[in-house]
Amino acid sequence: MKKPKNVKKHFPVLPAVLGCMLTVAAAAYGGGLFYYQSHFLPGTVVDRIDVSGMTIDELKDQIQDYNLCIEERKEDGSMLEEEIQGKEIGLSYASEEPLLEILDQQNTFTWFLPKSAEHVTEGLVTCEEEKLEDQIKGLKGFQKDFAKAPVDAYISDYIPQEGFQIVPETQGNLLDEDKAKETIRNAVLSLKERVNLEEAGCYQTPEVTAEDEALNQIQQKLQKYGNLQITYTFGDNQEILDGETISSWLHVDGTEVTLDQAHVEAYVASLRKSYDTIFRPRTFQTSYGTEVTIKEGDYGWWMNSDQEVQELMDMIERGESGVRTPVYYQTADQYGTPDYGQTYVEINLTAQHLFLYKDGNLLLESDFVSGNASRGYDTPAGVYGVTYKQRNATLTGENYRTPVSYWMPFNRNIGMHDAGWRGSFGSNIYKTNGSHGCINLPPSAAREIYENIEKGTPVICYHLPGTEPVVMEKGAAPAEEAQGETPAEELPAEVPPEPPAEVPTEIPAEVPVEAVPEIPPEVPAEVPPAE
C-alpha cells in the first residue's frame, strides 16, 4: 500500500487582505464621520473664509488674524496700501449659532466625497465700533495734509501764440469721508481681504470736466477773440491790437462772451491821444528862417472816435483780423511831424506876404490884404485846411454882393480870393482898409494858388514880429475897396461860401478839454467873407 504524498495547506490570503482593507476603511470612514461632527467639511466657505477642516473655536481664533488691505489714491493718481487688523478692532463673531447650524446641516456621511459649499451669514461678524473708527481716522487718506480737493476743468488766461486753452480737471484725492467709512466698515464685517476706495467711488470728483459742453462752447467763443490781430498804421508807426489785449476786454456770463465797450473806447482814445493832431500846437519853420509856434487852427488828423469805436467793435465781434484805417472827421497830409507835408500856403499876417509851396518847391509869393484891424476883423492865425474851392462865387453882405473868380475858404467863412478892385496889396492897408477877414489877392496870384491847391491843402497863418511891411509915404494912400459897386444885374448866381455838410465845424464832445486849445471866435454869421 502506497503512502499518500505530502499535501500543502492553503490559507485564504485575498479574502484576508480585503477584510483588512475593509476594516481600515471602516475605521477611517468612522473616524472621518466622527471628526466632521465638529469640523467643517472640505470645500466649506463661510463669509469668504475657507473653513475646511476647522472647528468653530479654530475659526474664532483665526478671525483675530484677519487683515483688511485698503487701497488709497495719492494726489498724483498712484495708489498706496494700508491695513486694518482684526485684533486691533476687537473683531469677533456675534454668535455661534449660524456656525453650529452649518455643522449640523453637513452631510457627514459623504465627507470623503469632493464637494464645495459656500455660506453667507448676516450680522455674524462684529467689531468694536470706536476702535474701528479710530483705525479709519488714522489712515493717510483722512489726513488734511495728504488729501487734496478735486479741481474743476477751466479755461486758461490768454496764452501768447495759443490763445485760450481748456485746463483739464484735477481728480485730487479728497475722500467723501462718510462713504469711505461705510465702505471700509462693510468690508471688515464681510471679512473682505482688500478694498479699493477709488473703485468703490469714495473720492470727491470734479463737477466740471474737460469734456463739459458748456465749457467747450465758452472756450471756442473766447478763442475767436484770442486769435485776432488788428493792425493800425500811422506813418512809420504801427499799433497792433491782438488777442492778449482783447482778452482783457471780455466778460463771460454763463455761456455768453461779451466785449466791454468801455475798454474799446479807452483804446480808441489812446490812439487819438497819440496820433490826432487837430487843435494842437505846431512848430513851423517860416520862409524867413525863423521858427514860430502856432497854437490855433483846426487842421490835422481828427479821428471820429464814436464811429471808430463802433466799427472796431464790429470787426472784433466778427473775429476778423487785418489792417484797419480809422474813421476820420478829417485827415492831414501825412502822419508824423510836420503833418502838413510839403504842399501848403504860408501866410505871414505881420508882413502881409504869402508863399505857395508845392512838393517842397516855392511856386509863388505875393503880397495880400488881410482883415481890417481897425474894425476888429483881424484874420486869425492858425493852421487850417482848404475847405473847398470854387470858381465864380459871389460874396454877399448886408449892403453888397461882390463876385470873385477864385474862392478858396479855409477857416469857416474866411478864405483866399482874388480882389481885382484893389490897386495895391501889402503894406499897412489891412490896418484901416482891410477885408472882413479874408485874404485879398491879386487876380494872377489867386489864379495860380487856385490851380495848385486842393481841398484839404494846409493854409498856415502866423504873426512874425520884425517882418512888418514898410510904411507907405504920406499922400500915397492905397486905392479904396470897391465894395458893392458892381451892378446887381450883372452878378452871377449867388453861391454861399459855406463848407460841405460832411465837414464838422464844432469840436466834438469826445475831445478832452485839456487837449483842445481855445478856438478863435467865429466871424458873426451876418458878416460874410469880405472882398
Side-chain angles (χ1 to χ4, degrees), residues 365-413:
E365 56 180 298
S366 173
D367 287 339
F368 60 82
V369 176
S370 62
N372 191 324
S374 65
R375 296 174 63 188
Y377 296 150
D378 300 84
T379 302
V383 182
Y384 307 93
V386 172
T387 310
Y388 62 96
K389 63 179 188 175
Q390 182 176 344
R391 291 279 279 120
N392 302 322
T394 297
L395 310 181
T396 62
E398 291 181 355
N399 57 359
Y400 68 87
R401 298 175 65 199
T402 303
V404 296
S405 298
Y406 304 98
W407 169 234
M408 297 162 281
F410 59 84
N411 179 10
R412 297 177 174 85
N413 50 3

Side-chain angles (χ1 to χ4, degrees), residues 169-231:
E169 68 279 5
T170 301
Q171 294 295 335
N173 63 334
L174 183 64
L175 288 166
D176 177 335
E177 293 192 5
D178 290 340
K179 186 172 183 178
K181 289 177 180 179
E182 185 64 21
T183 299
I184 294 171
R185 182 178 181 278
N186 289 338
V188 167
L189 299 182
S190 299
L191 299 178
K192 290 184 178 179
E193 294 182 0
R194 63 177 52 239
V195 62
N196 185 308
L197 297 183
E198 181 173 23
E199 293 176 358
C202 295
Y203 289 95
Q204 295 185 22
T205 59
E207 294 183 3
V208 181
T209 68
E211 290 73 34
D212 184 81
E213 183 177 351
L215 187 70
N216 279 269
Q217 286 180 6
I218 297 171
Q219 186 268 339
Q220 290 168 12
K221 291 177 181 179
L222 288 172
Q223 193 70 327
K224 178 184 73 173
Y225 297 108
N227 291 331
L228 285 178
Q229 180 168 301
I230 298 172
T231 303

Side-chain angles (χ1 to χ4, degrees), residues 450-471:
Y450 187 94
E451 292 173 350
N452 285 281
I453 67 172
E454 302 295 337
K455 174 184 175 181
T457 298
V459 179
I460 304 171
C461 304
Y462 61 87
H463 296 282
L464 183 60
T467 62
E468 292 80 0
V470 177
V471 179

Side-chain angles (χ1 to χ4, degrees), residues 300-411:
W301 296 100
W302 188 359
M303 193 182 299
N304 183 339
S305 62
D306 287 344
Q307 189 65 26
E308 179 57 24
V309 166
Q310 189 57 56
E311 293 193 14
L312 178 57
M313 286 189 65
D314 291 345
M315 188 174 183
I316 293 172
E317 289 174 343
R318 289 194 305 269
E320 179 181 337
S321 294
V323 176
R324 176 158 185 80
T325 300
V327 181
Y328 288 104
Y329 286 120
Q330 69 180 36
T331 61
D333 181 76
Q334 63 184 27
Y335 290 105
T337 303
D339 62 349
Y340 46 78
Q342 298 296 312
T343 297
Y344 54 85
V345 180
E346 175 186 346
I347 297 178
N348 184 342
L349 296 169
T350 303
Q352 294 286 287
H353 195 75
L354 64 70
F355 306 84
L356 171 63
Y357 288 92
K358 188 170 185 177
D359 299 326
N361 299 313
L362 178 62
L363 294 187
L364 166 76
E365 56 180 298
S366 173
D367 287 339
F368 60 82
V369 176
S370 62
N372 191 324
S374 65
R375 296 174 63 188
Y377 296 150
D378 300 84
T379 302
V383 182
Y384 307 93
V386 172
T387 310
Y388 62 96
K389 63 179 188 175
Q390 182 176 344
R391 291 279 279 120
N392 302 322
T394 297
L395 310 181
T396 62
E398 291 181 355
N399 57 359
Y400 68 87
R401 298 175 65 199
T402 303
V404 296
S405 298
Y406 304 98
W407 169 234
M408 297 162 281
F410 59 84
N411 179 10

Side-chain angles (χ1 to χ4, degrees), residues 72 82 134-148 173-175 177:
E72 304 167 64
E82 293 188 271
D134 290 341
Q135 289 292 310
I136 292 175
K137 287 181 177 179
L139 297 173
K140 286 187 176 181
F142 288 83
Q143 310 309 309
K144 291 183 178 180
D145 58 351
F146 178 81
K148 303 298 179 183
N173 63 334
L174 183 64
L175 288 166
E177 293 192 5

Side-chain angles (χ1 to χ4, degrees), residues 88-110:
E88 298 293 336
I89 59 175
L91 193 66
S92 63
Y93 289 105
S95 170
E96 293 184 8
E97 289 185 8
L99 301 177
L100 290 171
E101 288 181 9
I102 294 172
L103 284 176
D104 290 342
Q105 292 173 3
Q106 291 184 135
N107 185 0
T108 55
F109 294 104
T110 59

